[in-house]
Amino acid sequence: MADPLTEPMVSAARKNDPAALRAVYESLAPAVVGYFRSKGCQDPEALTQDVFLTVFSRISTVRGGAAGLRTFAFSVAHARVVDDHRRRERQPSPAPYDPQLDTRSSDSAEDTVLHSGLVAAQMLDGLTPGQREVLLLRIVADLSLEESAEIMGKTVNTVKQLQRRALLALREQIAGKEATEDGQHVQQPQ
């Protein structure tokens, strides 16, 4: 239990005597922390430190001896309680995270790549062998028209035509798929 606040202790603290300031703190701090806890403050120890920073910065102006200092300390503490409650009202209350309740999920990068690879393979299956070969050589292998024509044993103009037809066929597949998906969204009950 801390020593009670005395007049000589307060007089020495007004002169910034370190031992007297410590004695003032040890005398009043337990009651100030208890006050903050009883008021439901989130961090009573930090608020107590803040109170004593204010009290010690103004201790030379406090009148009324030990009772005046005690009153001043609790008036500062009361102001900090009001500030704490106002701050908490302005801030949203944090919600604890429970992984068991979190139903959100997303595919892993590997699953996404594998799925997009399957979709691309399915789309390529809808092309003729020549169209598929041209797209693989031009896009995947990054070969020029001339190099692709040489590998396929065809003319450059033939490769251009195959590429154009392949891209048109893919565009139609994508448009058809989007139209089907849009139709599904409309038919679903709202």
Side-chain angles (χ1 to χ4, degrees):
M1 190 97 197
D3 292 332
L5 202 56
T6 63
E7 297 299 327
M9 187 188 305
V10 172
S11 295
R14 279 198 186 114
K15 297 175 187 167
N16 289 325
D17 175 22
L21 291 171
R22 180 182 178 114
V24 166
Y25 177 83
E26 289 175 350
S27 176
L28 294 177
V32 172
V33 169
Y35 176 72
F36 285 135
R37 284 191 179 131
S38 69
K39 291 293 194 171
C41 295
Q42 286 182 333
D43 193 352
E45 289 81 12
L47 291 172
T48 299
Q49 299 303 315
D50 189 46
V51 165
F52 280 95
L53 286 173
T54 302
V55 167
F56 291 154
S57 70
R58 297 184 187 166
I59 197 165
S60 62
T61 63
V62 175
R63 301 292 171 239
L69 183 59
R70 184 176 185 80
T71 301
F72 178 67
F74 278 94
S75 67
V76 172
H78 175 74
R80 296 305 177 270
V81 167
V82 171
D83 292 344
D84 184 64
H85 285 295
R86 285 180 181 161
R87 179 188 52 82
R88 282 191 281 165
E89 286 176 2
R90 287 190 304 266
Q91 293 178 343
S93 59
Y97 175 73
D98 184 357
Q100 301 296 331
L101 299 176
D102 191 358
T103 59
R104 298 174 297 173
S105 67
S106 62
D107 294 336
S108 67
E110 294 84 5
D111 289 343
T112 302
V113 168
L114 288 174
H115 177 71
S116 63
L118 290 173
V119 170
Q122 289 172 348
M123 292 179 75
L124 289 175
D125 284 344
L127 302 176
T128 67
Q131 291 171 341
R132 190 171 35 250
E133 184 67 21
V134 166
L135 289 184
L136 291 173
L137 290 173
R138 293 283 290 132
I139 296 171
V140 177
D142 197 25
L143 297 176
S144 68
L145 284 169
E146 293 77 15
E147 292 167 330
S148 300
E150 185 179 328
I151 290 172
M152 293 180 69
K154 301 192 181 287
T155 66
V156 171
N157 285 337
T158 303
V159 170
K160 280 183 186 179
Q161 271 304 2
L162 284 169
Q163 179 178 321
R164 186 181 71 75
R165 288 180 183 152
L167 293 174
L168 286 172
L170 289 177
R171 183 179 297 149
E172 288 176 12
Q173 283 183 31
I174 292 170
K177 187 175 184 180
E178 288 174 353
T180 302
E181 288 175 357
D182 288 342
Q184 289 174 350
H185 290 300
V186 171
Q187 295 172 2
Q188 291 179 352
Q190 302 269 331

